[in-house]
Amino acid sequence: RKLAPSFFCGRECQKASWPRHKLWHEEAKENASRGATDAARSKDEFVATFDERVQTTAQSLQDVFATHGYNAHAQAETSRYMEMQTVGLGLMHLGNLAKAAKTFRKSIKL
């Protein structure tokens, strides 16, 4: 299974999303080695930890904002974009590809 392409406003945002992207690859590798039964359990674990992942992404963004002095409007727009991207990735992980695609299209329009 492949991850949908992501688009970023800049290098800092791309770097901020790397921990989440790396985690996705680690989980995909684990799921492949465990088989379908364990993959279902992994899906449940993913749902249970999704809010924590969103918070981790938000904290990464706040670090980027603090380092580069983004204004409040840029912070709000970037945070909204990253939140939508994170939700889209979660939907993909859960197998809801149509809704994930719709979420990604909305985030790109920001």
Side-chain angles (χ1 to χ4, degrees):
R1 184 172 95 208
K2 287 189 173 187
L3 194 60
S6 295
F7 302 93
F8 301 95
C9 59
R11 187 83 172 135
E12 293 86 16
C13 290
Q14 183 180 13
K15 285 181 180 181
S17 78
W18 173 247
R20 188 179 69 247
H21 181 83
K22 184 177 177 183
L23 182 61
W24 182 90
H25 280 284
E26 290 170 359
E27 288 177 353
K29 186 177 180 180
E30 287 175 16
N31 288 343
S33 67
R34 286 188 289 189
T37 304
D38 287 341
R41 186 175 343 119
S42 176
K43 188 181 286 188
D44 292 339
E45 291 168 3
F46 181 86
V47 171
T49 62
F50 187 73
D51 287 337
E52 181 181 333
R53 292 167 197 259
V54 171
Q55 291 302 318
T56 300
T57 300
Q59 184 58 51
S60 296
L61 285 172
Q62 290 305 319
D63 293 344
V64 169
F65 296 151
T67 302
H68 298 284
Y70 284 94
N71 65 37
H73 177 74
Q75 288 182 25
E77 287 298 309
T78 304
S79 293
R80 182 163 160 70
Y81 171 83
M82 291 303 293
E83 179 182 332
M84 291 178 80
Q85 288 286 308
T86 302
V87 169
L89 291 171
L91 291 166
M92 284 181 60
H93 188 82
L94 297 173
N96 193 340
L97 301 180
K99 196 166 186 177
K102 184 176 181 179
T103 302
F104 290 133
R105 283 192 297 271
K106 283 183 181 180
S107 71
I108 291 168
K109 287 181 182 179
L110 291 178

